C-alpha cells in the first residue's frame, strides 16, 4: 500500500491488515503511556480544504501517538471561491517536507489526483473527498462492528455473514460509498434504505440490496443499522417534501428504536447526529449505539493506516 | 542463470538439545532469582513466545507456585524497531502482559536468536512504555555473535560462532509445525551467500 | 495556364489515382494521370489520400477574450495542421460574438492569419444569456456574412426563444446550431450520469437532458419549417431521435465530435480533467450508436468542438476544471481509427462528413466540393488536404500548434498524418510543417 484513497479498490488482505494492526494499536490507548516511537522523525500534514474538527483531531491524535510531527494546514477555498490551486498548495507543502498528506477536500477525486498526478511524493490518505469516499470512516466502522461482535478475539476475523443496513442520503454520502465497498469486501451483506430520490443512479449495479421499507428491514433484526446524517441543504424540498416526512419514513424514531431495543442490532452513526431527525434521543443514547466507540476506534484505525503506509519502504 | 551448488543446511541443535538447554536455563533463572518470586517471562514474537511458554512450563514443574498463566506473556517489538523505514511494514503481533503488570517485577525477556541486539534494544523500549520492572534479564536459545549494541544475554542455550553470510534457522513445533518441511524442532545454519 | 503546384500520384476519395494541377488563381486547374507542368512545385502524394480541405462547423478559437488559451492565429494554424481549410468560430468569446462588430473582428482576424477560412458563428441570444435575440440579421449582413447561429456552451433553453430564432433566420436561409442540454437536469453536472458517476461521486449529466431538447427542437423546426443543426450529439437516444426526425422529413442536421466516437466515460475514473467535456463522454453503447449514425447518414458531419483551455483551468480539481478538449490536429486520425479502420466509412464518406456535408450545411460554395463519385472538382477553389494514413505516431500535445495542450489523446498511438495542405491554392502545410500563410487581396 502506497496510499489510501478509497475502499473501492482496497483488497481484502490490505483491509484485514489495517483492521488487525488497528487491533494492536487500540491496546496502546489503554496504557498510561499512550505513545509509540514508530514514526519518530516523520511528518504528517493534515491538509483540510473543508472544516472537520473531528476527523482532523482524530488523525492528529493518531499521528502523535506514533510520535510523528503534525502540521495542520487549513485552506479556505471552495468550488465557489477559488483561491490557490490544489497543485500549488501541495507543492508548497512539498517544499516544507512531509511524509504523508492527510487530505479532506470538497472535490470528489482530489485525493486520487494528488496521489497520481506527480504533484507530490508523499503518501496520500483520503480523509474524505467530495461525495466520493471516506475510507478511514468505513474502516473504523468495520473495526467497531468486528470489535462489538468478536471482542478480544476479533483479530483475523472478517464480517462474513453479517447484515448491515445503511439508511439515508446515499446519493451525497462518501461514508455510504466507502462502507458499501468495504463491507462487501469483508463479506457482509449490505442493504440500502432511504428515499428513492437519495439513491444514486445505477445503484442496482452495486453489491447491495435496496429496500425502501425501513420497518421491514428492522423486523429482520440486522446486525447493524447505520444512520447517515441528513444534511440541512437537502431539506429545501428538492429531494423530500419535509424533515417530518423524512423522519416518518427513514428516521430511527423512538417507536422504531423500541422494536430493536435489546436485540443484537447495533446502531451506528458517523456523527455528528441530528437528534430528532434521523435518530431519536433514546436511540442516540442507547447502549446499542456505537457512536462513541466509533470515535475512539477512529484513532486506532488511523494509527494503523499511518503505520502501514509510512513504516516501510513502498514497493517492497 | 548460474546454478549455485546448494550447501547442505547444518543442524547444530536437535530437538533433545533444545529441551536440555531449556531445562538448564530454567534452573539458572531460578538460581539467579532465588526462586520464582516476582518472576515474569515475556517472549518476543514470533519464536520467543513458544520458548517462553516452554520455559514457564519447566519453571512450574520445578516450582509449583509459579502459575504459568499469571506469570507469562509476550512483548511485541514491531512498533519499536529502528529499521522500520528499511523493511516492509509488518502487521504488529499482540502484546500480552500478565494481569498484575510488570512494575517491580523481574522480567526475563525470551528470544530465539541473539544477533545484532537491535531486537532487544526495541524490547527494552517497549517494556519501558508498559511499566517499570525492578530487573530485566535476557534469555536466548542461540547467541550467534555480531553484536551492534552493547548488550549481552544472561542465559544462553548455545553460543554459536557464525559468519555474517550465514543464517540461523530455528524451527519450533508451535510456529513451524504446520510447514511441509518441518520434521522436528531444531536449529540449523544455512549459507545465504548470493 | 500558370501551374503553381502539381500533386502527383495521390488517390482522391473516389479511389482514383490522379495528378492534380493547381493554378495561380488558386483553383484546381486540371485532374488526370501523367500531368506535367514546367516550373511547378511537385508534391509526391503516392500512397496518400487527397481530400478536399476539411470543414469544421464547431471550433472555439477563444479570441477575443481568452488569448491565453488560443488565438485566431494559433487556432487556425492548428486547423491547417489537421487538414482543415475552413473553421467556424463559436460565439462564446469575450465579448460574445453577438454583434456585427465582434463577428467582423473575428472574420478579419481570420483573414489576417491566412491559414484557413474563419467563419464566425453568431450568438443566438444577447450575451448568450438566453433572454432575447441577438441582432441576427445585422450579423448576417456584415462582412462576415453569418448564416450559422449558436449559443454553444449553453442551450437555448426557452422554447419560445428557440422558436423565434428558428423562424427569424429563415429570411436569409440561416440555421440554428443547438447545444442540446436541459439546464435544470444538468445543474452542477460533471460527467455522464451512470453507475460510474454514482461511484465516483460526480454529479451526473443524464442522456435525457440532451434527448429531451433534441426532441423538442426537431418538432419546433418542423412546426415553423426551419433548419436546426444539433451540435455534438453524444447519446444513442439522440441518434434515434434524429433518425426519426429525418424520416419525417424534418430539416435537421447533426454533428458528432471525434472524441465522442472514441472515448468513453471510463476515462473519468482517472479524475484527470483532460477528459472533462460537455456533453460528457458517454458509454460504449453510445459510442457504437454514434458511429452507426455517422455511417448511415443520420449524423451528417464531424465537428471537432476544439475547445482549448489553459493549463491552470485543467490542472485542478475535476469539479472546477473547464470543460472541453482540443481536437483539430487529431480529428482525421481519430476518424480513421474509429470509422475507416473499422470499415464503417470509406474515404469518400470521410470526404463527405468532414468536408462536403458541413460546407453544404453552411451553404459554402468554395469549400467541400466533390463530384458525385467522390472526386475533386476541376475549377473548384483549391482547398486540399493530402493525408498519409500509414504514418503511426504517439500523440504529444506539447507538439501541437494549438496554444493549449488539453488533448485527451495524449500518449495514445494513432495512425494518419496530414502532410500537405493547400488553402486557396497556396501551400500552408508542407511535409507536415507550417509554411507561410495565404495573403488575402483586399
Amino acid at each position: 500500500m502506497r496510499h489510501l484513497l478509497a475502499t473501492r479498490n482496497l483488497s481484502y488482505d490490505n483491509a484485514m491488515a489495517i483492521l488487525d494492526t488497528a487491533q494492536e494499536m487500540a491496546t496502546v490507548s489503554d496504557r498510561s503511556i499512550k505513545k509509540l516511537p514508530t514514526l519518530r522523525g516523520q511528518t504528517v500534514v493534515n491538509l483540510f480544504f473543508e472544516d472537520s474538527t473531528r476527523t482532523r483531531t482524530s488523525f492528529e491524535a493518531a499521528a502523535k501517538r506514533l510520535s510523528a510531527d503534525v502540521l495542520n494546514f487549513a485552506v479556505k477555498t471552495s468550488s465557489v471561491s477559488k483561491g490557490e490551486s490544489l497543485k500549488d498548495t501541495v507543492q508548497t507543502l512539498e517544499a516544507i517536507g512531509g511524509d504523508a498528506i492527510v487530505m479532506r477536500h470538497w472535490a470528489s477525486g482530489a485525493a486520487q489526483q494528488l496521489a497520481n498526478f506527480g504533484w507530490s511524493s508523499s503518501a496520500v490518505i483520503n480523509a474524505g473527498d467530495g461525495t466520493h469516499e471516506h475510507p478511514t470512516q468505513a474502516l473504523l466502522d468495520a473495526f467497531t462492528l468486528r470489535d462489538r461482535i468478536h471482542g478480544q478475539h476479533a483479530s483475523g476475523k472478517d464480517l462474513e455473514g453479517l447484515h448491515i443496513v445503511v439508511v439515508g442520503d446515499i446519493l451525497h454520502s462518501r461514508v455510504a460509498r466507502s462502507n458499501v465497498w468495504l463491507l462487501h469486501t469483508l463479506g457482509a451483506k449490505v442493504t440500502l434504505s432511504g428515499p428513492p430520490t437519495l439513491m444514486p443512479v445505477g445503484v442496482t449495479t452495486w453489491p447491495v440490496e435496496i429496500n425502501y421499507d425501513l420497518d421491514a428491514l428492522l423486523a429482520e433484526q440486522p446486525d447493524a443499522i447505520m444512520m447517515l446524517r441528513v444534511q440541512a441543504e437537502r431539506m429545501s424540498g428538492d429531494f423530500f417534501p419535509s424533515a417530518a416526512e423524512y423522519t416518518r419514513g427513514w428516521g430511527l424514531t423512538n417507536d422504531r428504536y423500541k422494536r430493536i431495543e435489546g436485540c443484537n442490532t447495533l446502531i451506528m452513526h458517523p456523527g455528528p447526529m441530528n437528534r430528532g431527525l434521523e435518530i431519536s434521543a433514546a436511540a442516540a443514547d442507547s447502549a446499542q449505539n456505537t457512536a462513541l466507540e466509533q470515535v475512539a476506534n477512529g484513532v486506532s484505525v488511523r494509527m494503523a493506516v499511518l503505520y502501514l503506509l509510512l513504516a516501510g519502504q513502498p514497493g517492497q | 542463470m548460474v546454478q549455485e551448488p546448494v550447501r547442505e543446511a547444518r543442524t547444530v541443535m536437535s530437538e533433545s538439545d533444545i529441551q536440555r538447554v531449556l531445562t538448564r536455563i530454567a534452573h539458572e533463572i531460578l538460581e539467579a532469582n532465588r526462586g520464582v518470586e516476582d518472576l515474569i517471562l515475556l517472549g518476543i514474537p514470533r519464536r520467543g513466545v513458544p520458548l517462553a511458554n516452554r520455559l514457564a512450563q519447566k519453571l512450574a514443574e520445578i516450582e509449583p507456585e509459579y502459575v504459568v498463566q499469571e506469570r507469562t506473556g509476550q512483548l511485541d517489538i514491531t512498533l519499536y524497531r529502528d529499521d522500520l523505514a528499511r523493511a516492509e511494514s509488518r502487521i504488529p503481533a499482540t502484546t500480552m502482559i500478565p494481569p498484575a503488570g510488570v512494575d517491580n517485577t523481574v522480567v526475563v525477556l525470551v528470544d530465539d536468536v541473539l544477533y545484532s541486539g537491535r531486537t532487544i534494544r526495541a524490547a527494552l523500549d517497549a517494556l519501558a512504555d508498559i511499566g517499570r520492572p525492578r530487573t530485566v534479564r535476557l534469555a536466548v536459545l542461540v547467541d550467534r555473535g555480531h553484536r551492534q549494541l552493547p548488550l549481552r544475554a544472561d542465559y544462553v542455550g548455545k553460543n554459536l560462532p557464525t559468519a555474517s553470510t550465514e543464517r540461523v534457522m530455528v524451527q519450533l513445533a508451535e510456529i513451524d509445525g504446520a510447514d511441509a518441511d518441518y520434521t522436528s524442532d531444531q536449529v540449523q545454519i544455512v549459507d545465504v551467500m548470493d | 495556364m500558370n501551374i503553381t503546384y502539381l500533386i502527383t500520384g495521390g488517390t482522391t476519395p473516389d479511389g482514383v489515382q490522379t495528378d492534380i494541377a493547381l493554378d495561380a488563381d488558386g483553383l484546381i486547374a486540371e485532374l488526370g494521370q501523367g500531368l506535367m507542368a514546367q516550373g511547378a512545385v511537385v508534391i509526391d502524394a503516392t500512397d496518400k489520400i487527397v481530400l478536399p480541405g476539411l470543414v469544421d462547423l464547431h471550433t472555439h478559437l477563444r479570441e477575443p477574450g481568452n488569448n491565453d488559451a488560443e488565438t485566431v492565429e494559433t487556432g487556425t494554424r492548428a486547423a491547417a495542421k489537421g487538414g482543415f481549410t475552413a473553421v467556424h468560430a463559436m460565439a462564446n468569446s469575450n465579448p460574445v460574438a453577438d454583434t456585427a462588430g465582434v463577428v467582423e473582428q473575428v472574420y478579419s482576424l481570420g483573414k489576417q492569419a491566412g491559414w484557413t477560412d474563419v467563419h464566425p458563428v453568431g450568438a443566438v441570444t444577447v450575451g448568450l444569456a438566453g433572454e432575447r435575440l441577438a441582432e441576427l440579421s445585422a450579423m448576417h449582413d456584415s462582412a462576415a456574412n453569418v448564416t450559422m447561429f449558436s449559443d454553444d456552451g449553453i442551450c437555448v433553453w426557452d422554447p419560445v426563444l428557440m422558436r423565434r430564432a428558428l423562424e427569424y433566420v429563415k429570411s436569409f436561409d440561416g440555421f440554428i446550431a443547438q447545444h442540446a442540454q436541459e439546464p435544470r437536469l444538468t445543474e452542477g453536472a460533471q460527467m455522464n450520469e451512470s453507475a460510474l458517476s454514482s461511484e465516483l461521486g460526480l454529479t451526473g449529466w443524464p442522456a435525457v437532458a440532451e434527448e429531451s431538447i433534441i426532441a423538442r427542437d426537431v418538432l419546433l423546426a418542423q412546426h415553423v419549417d426551419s433548419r436546426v443543426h444539433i451540435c455534438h450529439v453524444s447519446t444513442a437516444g439522440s441518434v434515434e431521435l434524429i433518425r426519426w426526425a429525418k424520416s419525417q422529413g424534418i430539416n435537421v442536421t447533426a454533428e458528432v465530435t471525434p472524441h465522442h466516437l472514441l472515448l468513453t466515460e471510463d476515462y473519468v475514473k482517472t479524475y484527470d480533467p483532460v477528459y472533462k467535456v460537455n456533453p460528457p463522454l458517454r458509454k460504449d453503447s453510445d459510442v457504437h450508436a454514434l458511429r452507426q449514425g455517422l455511417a448511415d447518414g443520420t449524423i451528417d458531419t464531424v465537428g471537432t468542438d476544439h475547445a482549448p483551455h489553459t493549463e491552470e483551468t485543467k490542472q485542478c480539481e475535476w469539479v472546477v476544471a473547464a470543460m472541453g478538449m482540443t481536437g483539430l490536429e487529431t480529428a482525421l486520425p481519430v476518424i480513421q481509427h474509429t470509422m475507416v479502420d473499422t470499415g464503417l466509412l470509406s474515404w469518400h464518406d470521410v470526404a463527405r462528413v468532414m468536408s462536403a456535408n458541413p460546407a453544404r450545411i453552411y451553404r459554402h460554395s468554395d469549400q467541400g466540393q466533390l463530384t458525385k463519385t467522390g472526386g475533386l472538382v476541376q475549377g473548384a477553389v483549391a482547398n486540399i488536404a493530402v493525408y498519409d494514413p500509414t504514418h503511426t505516431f504517439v500523440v504529444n500535445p506539447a507538439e501541437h500548434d494549438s496554444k493549449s495542450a488539453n488533448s485527451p489523446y495524449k500518449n495514445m498511438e494513432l495512425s494518419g498524418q496530414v502532410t500537405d495542405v493547400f488553402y486557396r491554392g497556396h501551400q500552408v502545410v508542407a511535409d507536415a510543417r507550417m509554411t507561410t500563410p495565404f495573403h488575402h487581396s483586399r
Side-chain angles (χ1 to χ4, degrees), chain C residues 76-298:
Chain C
T76 51
R77 285 177 76 103
K81 261 290 190 58
F84 292 88
T85 51
V87 297
H88 295 73
M90 280 298 176
N92 59 345
S93 50
N94 184 17
V96 169
D98 58 0
T99 61
V102 179
V103 295
E104 284 191 345
Q105 184 198 354
V106 173
Y107 183 68
S108 92
L109 285 169
K111 285 208 149 186
Q112 280 167 33
W115 299 112
T116 68
D117 282 355
V118 174
H119 298 284
V121 176
V124 178
T125 66
V126 176
L128 308 176
E131 285 164 4
R132 55 198 175 85
L133 288 182
E135 290 184 348
L136 309 184
S137 286
M139 287 187 270
H140 176 71
D141 295 339
S142 74
N145 190 25
V146 178
T147 66
M148 174 179 180
F149 297 90
S150 180
D151 278 2
D152 180 66
I154 299 170
C155 183
V156 180
W157 168 78
D158 182 335
V160 175
L161 205 55
M162 185 63 184
R163 173 197 171 139
R164 300 288 182 237
L166 286 167
E167 287 173 324
Y168 198 78
V169 296
K170 284 167 69 176
S171 64
F172 48 82
D173 193 24
F175 66 105
I176 306 295
Q178 176 66 295
H179 172 114
Q181 176 181 4
E182 211 295 318
R184 277 283 284 156
L185 283 171
T186 51
E187 275 173 21
Q190 298 296 326
M191 67 170 290
N192 182 43
E193 180 159 290
S194 66
L196 184 61
S197 66
S198 297
E199 178 187 325
L200 296 178
L202 293 172
T203 306
W205 196 131
V208 59
E210 174 171 307
E211 293 156 8
S212 58
I213 293 294
I214 293 175
R216 182 198 77 179
D217 287 355
V218 295
L219 293 173
L220 279 174
Q222 180 182 45
H223 183 58
V224 302
D225 190 24
S226 184
R227 285 211 285 155
V228 67
H229 176 74
I230 310 298
C231 297
H232 44 51
V233 169
S234 73
T235 76
S238 297
V239 176
E240 274 311 305
L241 285 163
I242 293 161
R243 189 173 284 135
W244 172 84
K246 286 191 165 182
S247 75
Q248 301 300 301
I250 296 169
N251 210 341
V252 56
T253 54
E255 142 200 313
V256 63
T257 69
H259 48 269
H260 286 113
L261 289 170
L262 178 58
L263 309 175
T264 65
E265 63 171 8
D266 283 342
Y267 283 95
V268 185
K269 287 180 188 169
T270 62
Y271 288 104
D272 184 343
V274 80
Y275 303 111
K276 183 172 176 181
V277 65
N278 192 17
L281 301 178
R282 305 282 188 187
K283 289 175 160 309
D284 217 37
S285 49
D286 296 302
V287 167
H288 281 97
L290 292 168
R291 290 182 183 185
Q292 212 55 55
L294 184 62
D296 69 18
T298 303

Side-chain angles (χ1 to χ4, degrees), chain A residues 14 23 57 80 82 151 177-178 220 272 287 304:
Chain A
N14 280 337
Q23 189 90 13
T57 307
V80 190
K82 275 179 75 180
R177 281 170 181 73
S178 287
E220 294 175 21

